[in-house]
Amino acid sequence: MNPPSAARALDLLIVGAGFGGLYMLHKARRMGLHALVLEASPSVGGTWYHNRYPGARVDIQSLEYSYSFDEALQQEWRWTERYAAQPELLRYANHVADRFGLRDGIRFSTRMIGAHFDEAAREWVVRSDLGEAWRARFLVMASGPLSSPNKPDFAGLRDFEGPVLHTADWPHEPVDFSGQRVAVVGTGSSAVQAIPIIARQARELTVFQRTAAYAAPARNGPLNAELEARVKADYAGFRARNRRMHGGFGSLLPPNPVPALSVSAAQRQEAFEQRWQVGGFALLGAFNDLLIDLKANETAAQFVREKIRATVTDPATAQLLSPSHTLGCKRLCVDSGYYETFNRPNVRLVDISREPIERFNRKGLRGAGRDFEFDALVLATGFDAMTGTMMRLDLRGRGGLRIQDKWHAGPLNYLGLGIAGFPNLFNIAGPGSTSAFTNVIVAIEHHVDWIAECIAHLDARGLRSIEASEQAEAGWTEHVNASARRTVFLSCNSWYLGANIPGKPRMFMPLADGFPRYADQCTQVAAKGYEGFVLQ
Ligand SMILES: Cc1cc2nc3c(=O)[nH]c(=O)nc-3n(C[C@H](O)[C@H](O)[C@H](O)COP(=O)(O)OP(=O)(O)OC[C@H]3O[C@@H](n4cnc5c(N)ncnc54)[C@H](O)[C@@H]3O)c2cc1C
């Protein structure tokens, strides 16, 4: 890509208008920087624009999963439910875009297809699918950790005559399954949310399961007015307390600071039950070692399996729905009536763990050694997470280094924010940071604020580029691996490891250290003049 002379000059080019890109644009403008967002879809919202499947909702309470950067915004916005559903989250993203006048800084329906670093000018030359080009001092990838849907290459899928829907690419017009026989492939978070609702509509629902999911009840409902008033009376304090939590949320019910095996079986049961009644991720905080000690973890896993057996009336189905892997090793699902759905007479569960889907045909599929017929197919097969979106781009750093070569064995980076060989490029909520284990809006705000301070630091000193050193990057990669080894996360195949995508390098991508420690490290690096980065 030759640097086009007609390319327009920017301080920042931001890719993506989800919560990451919106806040980055606002922040850049506040600093007087000339910034532009490229967004492939026609509107803002990112995740909440694309994932419109029935039942899509946040699994962190909305009073927490929302921006904290503006006191008036957080006071005036009113969530209707404890866990907002996708339409409300999308309205929120649109409200933020309007309230802060961001739309004129976003080029919608414009996909960034490539960016090459011009070493002489120390600028990025960025191109869109519409043939436009921009020069930017800084390139900010706010393109999302879960924004490339995984669409498995099933044999014969094209032969299937009915509609094929992916949860992450759901149609914008209403989908009505009334009277239909529907098949759902996959039982991860999206499936767990969608299945109870599809089951109520469809004549017949067949769920194809490779790995059973742990799900804790959301206990969703209208937002408690008393709680809302209490939080809003000191929202800044509430946010600060959440930022001190391991996942950037949950200060309303902090983890119990006691190991699971230090108490009696009856006390454990009581602690799990209390947390189960609270709902959502509260269960994982019942003891302080559930995600670091396999024996402790097994006590919680058994508790959930007992709940499944007590809920699902057919013992064979209950057995099939009971996961055998470590609890929380794959993201814990938060559900509203998932296991109960399998008591319905119109729902059946098919195990494809031993005999996978062989091929699709005009009327359905052959799998588990049998033929199945259905009218519509829902793929709830997740994402090529954390790296998928960037690895599809023609992104080249110094010396023409391609991101595909740089990351051929896994996403090397420093602090999750910078990549050696790719100066002036910042990544928001990507691999190497705690984002996947946190309330992602907390992670996003932290990254945007850090990037903004970094740019201010460079500009105040007349410096033009910043790049992670290879040495710092190697140290950070080892740090991310070592953090994972101290947890239970390496004990199963998950998207954190890239295991859901055939051929993807196996590397534990998110940082399991906890948000407070990670944020501290980022602050220290900045305080030491961006130690580990080369500034010029
Ligand atoms: C179904 C679902 C539920 C989730 N629930 C939670 C939750 O409960 N709690 C939580 O903390 N997190 C949750 N997440 C994670 C969620 O992705 C983040 O919370 C957050 O929305 C990420 O915001 P983002 O701006 O970083 O990325 P995104 O929201 O993914 O936005 C990225 C944007 O970049 C655009 N884009 C990508 N590539 C290009 C390109 N080349 N050119 C132009 N535009 C491009 C995309 O179209 C998209 O609009 C969930 C994710 C999913 C999929």
Side-chain angles (χ1 to χ4, degrees):
M1 194 194 299
N2 289 324
S5 50
R8 277 143 296 172
L10 299 164
D11 292 310
L12 251 79
L13 191 133
I14 303 160
V15 183
F19 286 130
L22 287 179
Y23 180 43
M24 188 74 248
L25 175 62
H26 173 66
K27 188 89 185 180
R29 284 181 159 181
R30 281 282 191 82
M31 294 166 71
L33 297 171
H34 184 24
L36 177 72
V37 177
L38 300 187
E39 170 53 61
S41 54
S43 192
V44 299
T47 288
W48 306 106
Y49 177 85
H50 297 284
N51 292 263
R52 296 164 182 253
Y53 59 85
R57 67 175 69 248
V58 75
D59 58 16
I60 289 173
Q61 296 186 50
S62 295
L63 286 170
E64 302 178 297
Y65 184 85
S66 45
Y67 285 122
S68 72
F69 69 84
D70 189 276
E71 176 63 13
L73 169 68
Q74 64 184 1
Q75 288 295 340
E76 79 201 6
W77 183 262
R78 302 210 60 187
W79 298 106
T80 61
E81 290 178 284
R82 187 180 184 204
Y83 297 94
Q86 173 271 333
E88 192 167 20
L89 286 152
L90 190 56
R91 276 200 298 282
Y92 177 69
N94 276 284
H95 171 74
V96 170
D98 292 333
R99 193 186 192 289
F100 297 101
L102 300 177
R103 285 185 203 278
D104 62 354
I106 306 172
R107 194 64 79 86
F108 291 109
S109 304
T110 307
R111 182 172 290 279
M112 183 271 232
I113 54 168
H116 294 182
F117 190 66
D118 176 348
E119 288 179 55
R122 279 189 256 172
E123 285 176 347
W124 284 95
V125 180
V126 184
R127 279 188 190 278
S128 79
D129 59 347
L130 303 177
E132 294 167 293
W134 294 265
R135 285 181 160 276
R137 292 200 292 143
F138 300 98
L139 177 60
V140 179
M141 299 304 298
S143 48
L146 297 171
S147 52
S148 287
N150 170 33
K151 298 183 175 170
D153 190 15
F154 289 116
L157 185 54
R158 288 209 183 117
D159 299 338
F160 179 62
E161 285 175 348
V164 180
L165 310 172
H166 193 292
T167 48
D169 208 357
W170 201 259
H172 287 218
E173 50 290 344
V175 177
D176 185 5
F177 292 121
S178 303
Q180 294 192 14
R181 296 165 305 168
V182 180
V184 173
V185 175
T187 50
S189 285
S190 301
V192 162
Q193 291 186 330
I195 282 169
I197 296 174
I198 297 176
R200 291 203 286 271
Q201 235 184 43
R203 170 154 63 93
E204 201 180 288
L205 172 64
T206 309
V207 177
F208 293 91
Q209 170 186 280
R210 189 170 61 178
T211 312
Y214 289 102
R219 310 221 180 273
N220 189 32
L223 182 60
N224 179 303
E226 188 273 322
L227 174 66
E228 182 184 11
R230 188 151 50 91
V231 165
K232 287 188 170 176
D234 176 25
Y235 224 144
F238 179 65
R239 301 288 195 186
R241 287 189 293 282
N242 271 343
R243 279 192 283 267
R244 288 197 290 275
M245 305 301 292
H246 194 270
F249 70 102
S251 64
L252 289 169
L253 180 63
N256 180 9
V258 170
L261 296 172
S262 69
V263 302
S264 70
Q267 286 169 319
R268 261 198 310 277
Q269 182 71 15
E270 195 187 327
F272 288 141
E273 187 60 41
Q274 272 174 9
R275 299 261 170 169
W276 187 261
Q277 292 309 325
V278 171
F281 290 115
L283 180 71
L284 295 176
F287 295 99
N288 66 359
D289 55 352
L290 296 181
L291 294 178
I292 52 175
D293 182 306
L294 285 172
K295 283 196 182 124
N297 187 287
E298 179 55 21
T299 63
Q302 270 179 22
F303 173 84
V304 181
R305 286 186 216 118
E306 278 160 24
K307 287 289 181 196
I308 297 171
R309 276 196 291 276
T311 307
V312 180
T313 45
D314 172 43
T317 306
Q319 179 61 28
L320 212 51
L321 283 169
S322 296
S324 55
H325 59 272
T326 317
L327 173 73
C329 180
K330 292 166 182 274
R331 189 180 172 91
L332 176 68
C333 301
V334 177
D335 78 298
S336 296
Y338 175 64
Y339 296 124
E340 290 83 343
T341 298
F342 293 90
N343 291 333
R344 295 177 65 101
N346 66 332
V347 177
R348 68 178 155 173
L349 182 65
V350 178
D351 176 20
I352 50 166
S353 62
R354 266 159 290 186
E355 291 183 89
I357 293 173
E358 278 171 47
R359 69 173 299 121
F360 281 81
N361 52 50
R362 281 175 48 229
K363 301 265 172 239
L365 64 79
R366 181 162 181 82
R370 284 142 66 199
D371 289 313
F372 295 90
E373 286 196 2
F374 39 86
D375 306 309
L377 171 66
V378 174
L379 295 175
T381 43
F383 299 87
D384 184 350
M386 310 222 81
T387 56
T389 301
M390 278 180 54
M391 291 291 265
R392 283 165 173 75
L393 299 173
D394 176 20
L395 191 59
R396 300 186 198 195
R398 266 192 306 111
L401 177 62
R402 296 166 66 242
I403 192 72
Q404 292 79 4
D405 295 327
K406 172 78 194 187
W407 281 2
H408 76 279
L412 304 179
N413 64 77
Y414 178 43
L415 295 181
L417 283 155
I419 307 170
F422 293 75
N424 293 6
L425 180 147
F426 297 107
N427 209 359
I428 293 183
S433 75
T434 51
S435 63
F437 291 133
T438 56
N439 172 350
V440 179
I441 297 196
V442 168
I444 282 171
E445 289 193 324
H446 167 251
H447 274 174
V448 168
D449 291 346
W450 192 95
I451 293 166
E453 273 177 38
C454 177
I455 292 174
H457 177 94
L458 296 173
D459 285 356
R461 288 159 184 79
L463 298 167
R464 288 170 53 205
S465 71
I466 178 165
E467 179 185 347
S469 75
E470 284 190 359
Q471 199 190 358
E473 186 177 77
W476 189 254
T477 304
E478 177 43 34
H479 174 65
V480 173
N481 286 329
S483 299
R485 286 197 294 272
R486 287 193 294 272
T487 69
V488 300
F489 292 119
L490 298 179
S491 65
C492 73
N493 286 325
S494 66
W495 59 256
Y496 301 136
L497 264 172
N500 62 325
I501 304 294
K504 188 162 172 168
R506 245 184 126 83
M507 174 172 157
F508 196 79
M509 296 183 283
L511 174 64
D513 255 6
F515 176 76
R517 184 155 178 235
Y518 167 66
D520 247 21
Q521 282 170 304
C522 294
T523 305
Q524 280 169 31
V525 164
K528 290 180 189 160
Y530 296 88
E531 190 179 45
F533 288 95
V534 178
L535 277 57
Q536 286 183 314

Coordinates of all heavy atoms in Angstrom, one line a residue, residues 17-79:
A17 N -17.2 1.5 16.7 CA -18.0 2.5 17.5 C -18.9 1.7 18.5 O -20.0 2.0 18.7 CB -18.9 3.3 16.6
G18 N -18.2 0.7 19.2 CA -18.8 0.1 20.4 C -18.5 1.0 21.6 O -18.1 2.2 21.4
F19 N -18.7 0.5 22.8 CA -18.4 1.3 23.9 C -17.0 1.8 24.0 O -16.7 2.9 24.5 CB -18.8 0.5 25.2 CG -20.2 0.4 25.4 CD1 -20.8 -0.8 25.7 CD2 -21.1 1.5 25.4 CE1 -22.2 -0.9 25.9 CE2 -22.4 1.4 25.5 CZ -23.0 0.2 25.8
G20 N -16.0 1.0 23.4 CA -14.6 1.4 23.4 C -14.4 2.6 22.5 O -13.8 3.6 22.9
G21 N -14.8 2.5 21.2 CA -14.6 3.6 20.3 C -15.3 4.8 20.6 O -14.8 5.9 20.4
L22 N -16.6 4.7 21.2 CA -17.3 5.9 21.5 C -16.6 6.7 22.6 O -16.4 8.0 22.5 CB -18.7 5.5 22.1 CG -19.7 5.0 21.0 CD1 -21.0 4.7 21.7 CD2 -20.0 6.1 19.9
Y23 N -16.1 6.0 23.6 CA -15.4 6.8 24.7 C -14.1 7.3 24.2 O -13.7 8.4 24.6 CB -15.3 5.9 26.0 CG -14.6 6.6 27.1 CD1 -14.9 7.9 27.4 CD2 -13.6 6.0 27.9 CE1 -14.3 8.6 28.5 CE2 -13.0 6.6 28.9 CZ -13.3 7.9 29.2 OH -12.7 8.6 30.2
M24 N -13.4 6.6 23.4 CA -12.1 7.0 22.9 C -12.3 8.3 22.1 O -11.5 9.3 22.2 CB -11.4 6.0 22.0 CG -10.0 6.3 21.6 SD -8.8 6.1 22.9 CE -8.3 7.8 23.2
L25 N -13.4 8.4 21.3 CA -13.6 9.6 20.4 C -13.9 10.7 21.4 O -13.4 11.9 21.2 CB -14.8 9.3 19.5 CG -15.3 10.5 18.7 CD1 -14.2 11.0 17.7 CD2 -16.5 10.1 17.8
H26 N -14.8 10.5 22.3 CA -15.1 11.6 23.2 C -13.9 12.2 24.0 O -13.7 13.4 24.0 CB -16.2 11.1 24.3 CG -16.5 12.0 25.3 ND1 -17.1 13.2 25.1 CD2 -16.2 12.0 26.7 CE1 -17.3 13.9 26.2 NE2 -16.8 13.2 27.2
K27 N -13.1 11.2 24.4 CA -11.9 11.6 25.2 C -10.9 12.4 24.3 O -10.4 13.4 24.7 CB -11.2 10.3 25.7 CG -10.1 10.5 26.6 CD -10.6 10.6 28.1 CE -9.4 11.0 29.0 NZ -9.9 11.0 30.4
A28 N -10.7 11.9 23.1 CA -9.8 12.6 22.1 C -10.3 14.0 21.8 O -9.5 14.9 21.8 CB -9.7 11.7 20.8
R29 N -11.6 14.1 21.6 CA -12.1 15.5 21.4 C -11.9 16.4 22.5 O -11.6 17.6 22.3 CB -13.6 15.4 21.0 CG -13.8 14.8 19.6 CD -15.2 14.8 19.3 NE -15.4 14.7 17.8 CZ -16.6 14.7 17.3 NH1 -17.7 14.7 18.0 NH2 -16.8 14.6 16.0
R30 N -12.1 15.9 23.7 CA -11.9 16.7 24.9 C -10.4 17.2 25.0 O -10.2 18.2 25.6 CB -12.2 15.9 26.2 CG -13.6 15.7 26.5 CD -14.1 17.0 27.2 NE -15.4 16.8 27.8 CZ -15.6 16.3 29.0 NH1 -14.6 15.8 29.7 NH2 -16.8 16.2 29.4
M31 N -9.5 16.4 24.4 CA -8.1 16.8 24.5 C -7.7 17.7 23.3 O -6.6 18.1 23.1 CB -7.2 15.5 24.4 CG -7.3 14.6 25.6 SD -6.6 13.0 25.2 CE -4.9 13.5 25.2
G32 N -8.7 18.0 22.4 CA -8.5 18.8 21.3 C -7.8 18.1 20.2 O -7.2 18.7 19.2
L33 N -7.9 16.8 20.2 CA -7.3 16.0 19.1 C -8.3 15.8 18.0 O -9.5 15.7 18.2 CB -6.9 14.6 19.6 CG -5.8 14.7 20.7 CD1 -5.6 13.3 21.3 CD2 -4.5 15.2 20.1
H34 N -7.8 15.7 16.8 CA -8.6 15.5 15.6 C -8.8 14.0 15.4 O -7.8 13.3 15.0 CB -8.0 16.1 14.4 CG -8.8 16.1 13.1 ND1 -10.1 15.9 13.1 CD2 -8.4 16.2 11.8 CE1 -10.6 15.9 11.9 NE2 -9.5 16.0 11.1
A35 N -9.9 13.4 15.7 CA -10.1 12.0 15.7 C -11.3 11.6 14.8 O -12.2 12.3 14.6 CB -10.4 11.5 17.1
L36 N -11.2 10.4 14.2 CA -12.3 9.9 13.4 C -12.4 8.4 13.7 O -11.5 7.7 13.9 CB -11.9 10.0 11.9 CG -12.9 9.4 10.9 CD1 -14.2 10.3 10.8 CD2 -12.3 9.3 9.5
V37 N -13.7 8.0 13.8 CA -14.0 6.6 14.0 C -14.5 5.9 12.7 O -15.3 6.5 12.0 CB -15.1 6.4 15.0 CG1 -15.5 4.9 15.2 CG2 -14.7 7.0 16.4
L38 N -14.0 4.8 12.3 CA -14.5 4.0 11.2 C -15.3 2.9 11.8 O -14.8 2.1 12.7 CB -13.4 3.4 10.3 CG -12.5 4.4 9.7 CD1 -11.6 3.6 8.7 CD2 -13.2 5.5 9.0
E39 N -16.6 2.7 11.4 CA -17.5 1.7 12.0 C -18.1 0.9 10.8 O -18.7 1.5 9.9 CB -18.5 2.3 12.9 CG -19.6 1.3 13.3 CD -19.1 0.0 13.9 OE1 -18.5 0.1 14.9 OE2 -19.4 -1.1 13.3
A40 N -17.9 -0.4 10.8 CA -18.4 -1.2 9.7 C -19.9 -1.2 9.6 O -20.4 -1.3 8.5 CB -17.8 -2.6 9.8
S41 N -20.6 -1.2 10.7 CA -22.0 -1.3 10.7 C -22.6 0.1 10.6 O -21.9 1.1 10.7 CB -22.5 -2.0 11.9 OG -22.0 -1.4 13.0
P42 N -23.9 0.2 10.3 CA -24.5 1.5 10.1 C -24.8 2.3 11.4 O -25.4 3.4 11.3 CB -25.9 1.2 9.4 CG -25.9 -0.3 9.2 CD -24.9 -0.9 10.0
S43 N -24.5 1.8 12.5 CA -24.8 2.5 13.7 C -23.9 2.2 14.8 O -23.0 1.3 14.7 CB -26.3 2.2 14.2 OG -26.7 3.1 15.2
V44 N -24.1 2.8 16.0 CA -23.2 2.6 17.1 C -23.6 1.4 17.9 O -24.6 0.8 17.6 CB -23.2 3.8 18.1 CG1 -22.7 5.1 17.3 CG2 -24.6 4.1 18.6
G45 N -22.8 1.0 18.9 CA -23.3 0.0 19.9 C -22.5 -1.3 19.8 O -22.5 -2.1 20.8
G46 N -21.8 -1.6 18.7 CA -20.9 -2.8 18.6 C -21.6 -4.0 19.0 O -22.6 -4.4 18.3
T47 N -21.1 -4.7 20.0 CA -21.7 -6.0 20.5 C -23.2 -5.9 20.5 O -23.9 -6.8 20.1 CB -21.2 -6.3 21.9 OG1 -19.8 -6.6 21.8 CG2 -22.0 -7.4 22.6
W48 N -23.8 -4.8 21.0 CA -25.2 -4.7 21.3 C -26.0 -4.3 20.0 O -27.2 -4.2 20.0 CB -25.5 -3.8 22.5 CG -24.7 -4.2 23.6 CD1 -23.5 -3.7 24.2 CD2 -24.8 -5.5 24.4 NE1 -23.0 -4.5 25.2 CE2 -23.8 -5.6 25.3 CE3 -25.8 -6.5 24.3 CZ2 -23.7 -6.6 26.2 CZ3 -25.7 -7.6 25.2 CH2 -24.7 -7.6 26.1
Y49 N -25.2 -3.9 19.0 CA -25.8 -3.7 17.7 C -26.0 -5.1 17.0 O -27.0 -5.4 16.3 CB -25.0 -2.8 16.8 CG -25.5 -2.6 15.4 CD1 -26.5 -1.6 15.2 CD2 -25.0 -3.4 14.4 CE1 -27.0 -1.5 13.9 CE2 -25.6 -3.2 13.1 CZ -26.6 -2.3 12.9 OH -27.1 -2.2 11.6
H50 N -25.0 -5.9 17.1 CA -24.9 -7.2 16.3 C -25.6 -8.3 17.0 O -26.2 -9.2 16.3 CB -23.5 -7.6 16.1 CG -22.7 -6.6 15.3 ND1 -22.8 -6.4 13.9 CD2 -21.8 -5.6 15.6 CE1 -22.0 -5.5 13.5 NE2 -21.4 -5.0 14.5
N51 N -25.6 -8.4 18.3 CA -26.1 -9.6 19.0 C -27.5 -9.4 19.4 O -27.8 -9.1 20.6 CB -25.2 -9.9 20.2 CG -23.8 -10.4 19.8 OD1 -23.6 -11.6 19.8 ND2 -22.9 -9.5 19.5
R52 N -28.4 -9.5 18.5 CA -29.9 -9.2 18.8 C -30.7 -10.5 19.0 O -31.9 -10.5 18.8 CB -30.4 -8.5 17.5 CG -29.8 -7.2 17.3 CD -30.1 -6.7 15.9 NE -29.5 -5.4 15.7 CZ -30.1 -4.3 15.7 NH1 -31.4 -4.2 15.8 NH2 -29.4 -3.1 15.5
Y53 N -30.0 -11.6 19.2 CA -30.8 -12.8 19.4 C -31.8 -12.7 20.6 O -31.5 -11.9 21.5 CB -29.8 -14.0 19.6 CG -28.9 -13.9 20.8 CD1 -29.3 -14.3 22.0 CD2 -27.6 -13.3 20.6 CE1 -28.5 -14.1 23.1 CE2 -26.8 -13.2 21.7 CZ -27.2 -13.6 23.0 OH -26.4 -13.5 24.1
P54 N -32.8 -13.5 20.5 CA -33.8 -13.5 21.6 C -33.1 -13.8 23.0 O -32.3 -14.7 23.1 CB -34.8 -14.5 21.3 CG -34.3 -15.3 20.2 CD -33.2 -14.6 19.5
G55 N -33.3 -12.9 24.0 CA -32.8 -13.2 25.3 C -31.4 -12.5 25.5 O -30.9 -12.6 26.6
A56 N -30.9 -11.9 24.5 CA -29.5 -11.3 24.7 C -29.6 -10.2 25.8 O -30.4 -9.3 25.7 CB -29.1 -10.6 23.3
R57 N -28.8 -10.4 26.7 CA -28.7 -9.3 27.8 C -27.4 -9.4 28.5 O -26.6 -10.4 28.4 CB -29.9 -9.5 28.8 CG -29.9 -10.7 29.6 CD -31.0 -10.6 30.7 NE -32.3 -10.7 30.1 CZ -33.2 -9.8 30.1 NH1 -33.0 -8.6 30.7 NH2 -34.4 -9.9 29.6
V58 N -27.1 -8.4 29.2 CA -25.8 -8.3 29.9 C -25.8 -9.3 31.1 O -26.9 -9.6 31.7 CB -25.5 -6.8 30.4 CG1 -26.4 -6.5 31.5 CG2 -24.1 -6.5 30.6
D59 N -24.6 -9.8 31.5 CA -24.6 -10.7 32.7 C -23.9 -10.1 33.9 O -23.6 -10.7 34.8 CB -24.1 -12.1 32.3 CG -22.7 -12.0 31.7 OD1 -22.0 -11.0 31.9 OD2 -22.2 -13.0 31.2
I60 N -23.7 -8.8 33.8 CA -23.2 -8.0 34.9 C -24.2 -6.9 35.1 O -24.7 -6.3 34.2 CB -21.8 -7.4 34.6 CG1 -20.7 -8.5 34.5 CG2 -21.4 -6.3 35.6 CD1 -19.4 -8.0 34.0
Q61 N -24.5 -6.6 36.4 CA -25.7 -5.7 36.6 C -25.5 -4.4 36.0 O -24.4 -3.8 35.9 CB -25.8 -5.6 38.1 CG -26.2 -6.9 38.8 CD -26.5 -6.6 40.3 OE1 -27.3 -5.8 40.7 NE2 -25.9 -7.5 41.1
S62 N -26.6 -3.9 35.4 CA -26.5 -2.6 34.6 C -26.0 -1.4 35.4 O -25.4 -0.5 34.8 CB -27.8 -2.4 34.0 OG -28.1 -3.4 33.1
L63 N -26.3 -1.4 36.7 CA -25.7 -0.2 37.5 C -24.2 -0.3 37.4 O -23.6 0.7 37.7 CB -26.2 -0.3 38.9 CG -27.7 0.1 39.1 CD1 -28.1 -0.3 40.5 CD2 -27.9 1.5 38.8
E64 N -23.7 -1.4 37.1 CA -22.2 -1.6 37.0 C -21.7 -1.5 35.6 O -20.7 -0.9 35.3 CB -21.8 -2.9 37.7 CG -22.2 -3.0 39.2 CD -21.9 -4.3 39.8 OE1 -22.4 -5.3 39.4 OE2 -21.1 -4.2 40.8
Y65 N -22.4 -2.3 34.7 CA -22.0 -2.3 33.3 C -22.6 -1.1 32.6 O -23.6 -1.1 31.9 CB -22.6 -3.6 32.6 CG -22.1 -3.8 31.2 CD1 -20.9 -4.4 30.9 CD2 -22.9 -3.3 30.1 CE1 -20.5 -4.5 29.6 CE2 -22.5 -3.5 28.8 CZ -21.3 -4.1 28.5 OH -20.9 -4.3 27.2
S66 N -21.9 0.1 32.8 CA -22.3 1.3 32.2 C -21.1 2.3 32.4 O -20.2 2.0 33.3 CB -23.6 1.9 32.9 OG -23.5 1.8 34.3
Y67 N -21.1 3.4 31.6 CA -20.0 4.3 31.7 C -20.0 5.0 33.1 O -21.0 5.4 33.6 CB -20.1 5.4 30.7 CG -19.7 5.0 29.3 CD1 -20.7 5.1 28.2 CD2 -18.5 4.5 28.9 CE1 -20.4 4.8 26.9 CE2 -18.2 4.2 27.6 CZ -19.1 4.3 26.6 OH -18.8 4.0 25.3
S68 N -18.7 5.3 33.6 CA -18.6 6.1 34.8 C -18.0 7.5 34.5 O -17.8 8.3 35.5 CB -17.7 5.3 35.8 OG -16.4 5.4 35.3
F69 N -17.6 7.7 33.3 CA -16.8 8.9 33.1 C -17.5 10.2 33.2 O -16.9 11.3 33.3 CB -16.1 8.8 31.7 CG -17.0 9.0 30.5 CD1 -17.4 10.3 30.0 CD2 -17.5 7.9 29.8 CE1 -18.2 10.4 28.9 CE2 -18.3 8.0 28.7 CZ -18.7 9.3 28.3
D70 N -18.8 10.2 33.2 CA -19.6 11.5 33.3 C -20.7 11.3 34.4 O -21.6 10.5 34.2 CB -20.2 11.8 31.9 CG -20.8 13.2 31.9 OD1 -22.0 13.3 32.3 OD2 -20.1 14.1 31.4
E71 N -20.5 12.1 35.4 CA -21.5 12.0 36.5 C -22.9 12.3 36.1 O -23.8 11.6 36.5 CB -21.0 13.0 37.6 CG -21.9 13.1 38.9 CD -22.1 11.7 39.6 OE1 -21.3 10.8 39.4 OE2 -23.0 11.7 40.5
A72 N -23.1 13.3 35.2 CA -24.5 13.6 34.8 C -25.1 12.4 34.0 O -26.3 12.1 34.2 CB -24.5 14.9 34.0
L73 N -24.3 11.8 33.2 CA -24.8 10.7 32.4 C -25.2 9.6 33.3 O -26.3 9.0 33.2 CB -23.7 10.2 31.5 CG -23.9 8.9 30.8 CD1 -25.1 9.0 29.8 CD2 -22.7 8.3 30.1
Q74 N -24.4 9.2 34.3 CA -24.7 8.1 35.1 C -25.9 8.4 36.1 O -26.6 7.5 36.5 CB -23.5 7.5 35.9 CG -22.8 8.4 36.9 CD -21.6 7.8 37.4 OE1 -21.2 6.6 37.1 NE2 -20.9 8.4 38.4
Q75 N -26.1 9.7 36.4 CA -27.2 10.0 37.2 C -28.5 10.0 36.4 O -29.6 9.6 36.9 CB -27.0 11.4 37.8 CG -26.0 11.5 38.9 CD -26.4 10.7 40.2 OE1 -27.5 10.4 40.4 NE2 -25.3 10.3 41.0
E76 N -28.5 10.5 35.2 CA -29.7 10.7 34.4 C -30.2 9.4 33.8 O -31.4 9.2 33.6 CB -29.6 11.8 33.4 CG -28.9 11.3 32.1 CD -28.2 12.4 31.3 OE1 -28.2 13.5 31.7 OE2 -27.7 12.0 30.2
W77 N -29.3 8.5 33.4 CA -29.7 7.3 32.7 C -30.4 6.3 33.7 O -30.0 6.1 34.8 CB -28.6 6.6 32.1 CG -29.1 5.4 31.3 CD1 -29.1 4.1 31.7 CD2 -29.6 5.4 30.0 NE1 -29.6 3.3 30.7 CE2 -30.0 4.0 29.7 CE3 -29.9 6.4 29.1 CZ2 -30.6 3.7 28.5 CZ3 -30.5 6.0 27.9 CH2 -30.9 4.7 27.6
R78 N -31.6 5.8 33.3 CA -32.3 4.9 34.1 C -32.5 3.5 33.5 O -33.1 3.4 32.4 CB -33.7 5.5 34.5 CG -33.6 6.8 35.1 CD -34.7 7.1 36.0 NE -34.8 6.2 37.1 CZ -35.8 6.2 38.0 NH1 -36.7 7.0 37.9 NH2 -35.8 5.3 39.0
W79 N -31.9 2.5 34.1 CA -32.0 1.1 33.6 C -33.4 0.6 34.1 O -33.7 0.9 35.3 CB -30.9 0.3 34.1 CG -29.5 0.7 33.6 CD1 -28.6 1.3 34.4 CD2 -29.0 0.5 32.3 NE1 -27.5 1.6 33.6 CE2 -27.7 1.1 32.3 CE3 -29.5 -0.1 31.1 CZ2 -26.9 1.1 31.2 CZ3 -28.6 -0.1 30.0 CH2 -27.4 0.5 30.1

